[in-house]
Amino acid sequence: MYKSVRGIAAGALLAATLTACGSGSGDTGGNAGTSGGEKPKAPLVLAADQVRTALVSKSSAPQGWKGRLPRSVSPTDALRKCQDETETNCGGFVSYGSTYFFKTEQDAEGKQGHLYFSLFSFKSPEDAQVAMKGLTKEARRKAGADAKPLDISAGAEETDAYTGKHTEIALRLGGVLVRLQSADLTANEPYANFAKLQIDRIKKTAEGKNPDA
């Protein structure tokens, strides 16, 4: 009888030990999965009211340049603008806004160079990718063989830039498509700085910050 009790007790102790070891292994694996498997960040998207905030402002214009207040249009006109510029149906389109910088001094021919900024926001990065593909295809078709590649690094996820009769830059960051267009400007302007300025403002706006602060 005593031997049976001792046997049962020993068996219970062994089972408890094995269970404890098993639990320890499971916890270790779970912790490793938590530390090594962080949730992916949500894609960057801008709501309609954030587009106006994200656009470059008058106060953000560098020395030698002046800015204008962002232009607002009706939702119908905004969608039409997106469709016209991207040659797509603009699936997932949310909002559009635009503004521009201009040089404070005229050139030798009496021209005052302008740089136009356009922002198109979409519900997802995929929607913005489709729109960018259409935009760059149409822009390059109009530019023709004279277009030369322009190296731009501004922190965007996609970039397509060239210069010729005018300079054209398309940037995509998450679900936001950016277009920069020059008029009466040379290829030597600091386009990369302007592109980075716009991308940085988009990032700050998406984080809930005021990019003019």
Side-chain angles (χ1 to χ4, degrees):
M1 179 176 176
Y2 294 118
K3 290 182 178 179
S4 298
V5 173
R6 287 199 298 270
I8 293 172
L13 179 60
L14 177 61
T17 302
L18 291 174
T19 301
C21 292
S23 298
S25 298
D27 290 343
T28 302
N31 292 336
T34 301
S35 61
E38 296 180 359
K39 291 182 179 179
K41 292 182 179 180
L44 186 150
V45 293
L46 293 183
D49 62 330
Q50 290 180 305
V51 170
R52 170 183 49 80
T53 302
L55 277 163
V56 294
S57 63
K58 294 176 69 174
S59 64
S60 65
Q63 186 174 1
W65 296 77
K66 283 189 177 181
R68 283 289 181 259
L69 293 174
R71 179 189 175 199
S72 60
V73 297
S74 69
T76 300
D77 289 340
L79 176 59
R80 185 179 296 114
K81 181 70 171 178
C82 177
Q83 292 173 334
D84 288 344
E85 294 204 17
T86 68
E87 295 287 311
T88 72
N89 289 342
C90 287
F93 176 71
V94 174
S95 186
Y96 158 80
S98 66
T99 188
Y100 64 91
F101 285 165
F102 64 94
K103 281 201 162 186
T104 55
E105 296 183 3
Q106 297 179 344
D107 62 16
E109 297 179 359
K111 295 180 179 180
Q112 204 162 22
H114 287 66
L115 185 62
Y116 298 90
F117 297 79
S118 298
L119 259 63
F120 302 88
S121 65
F122 296 87
K123 293 180 180 178
S124 72
E126 290 74 19
D127 292 327
Q129 283 177 323
V130 173
M132 181 171 177
K133 183 177 180 180
L135 171 66
T136 54
K137 180 180 178 181
E138 178 63 11
R140 283 188 173 277
R141 183 189 68 78
K142 291 180 179 180
D146 292 335
K148 299 177 181 179
L150 187 64
D151 186 21
I152 295 290
S153 179
E157 294 171 18
E158 283 188 86
T159 302
D160 186 278
Y162 63 85
T163 187
K165 293 181 179 179
H166 70 280
T167 298
E168 177 94 22
I169 304 169
L171 308 148
R172 184 189 65 80
L173 183 63
V176 183
L177 174 59
V178 180
R179 186 179 193 182
L180 276 66
Q181 297 168 279
S182 74
D184 299 323
L185 292 172
T186 68
N188 299 321
E189 300 295 340
Y191 294 108
N193 293 343
F194 289 120
K196 189 176 187 307
L197 170 65
Q198 182 58 88
I199 291 296
D200 287 346
R201 290 182 64 90
I202 291 172
K203 290 178 179 179
K204 288 181 180 179
T205 302
E207 293 170 358
K209 301 176 182 177
N210 187 333
D212 285 316

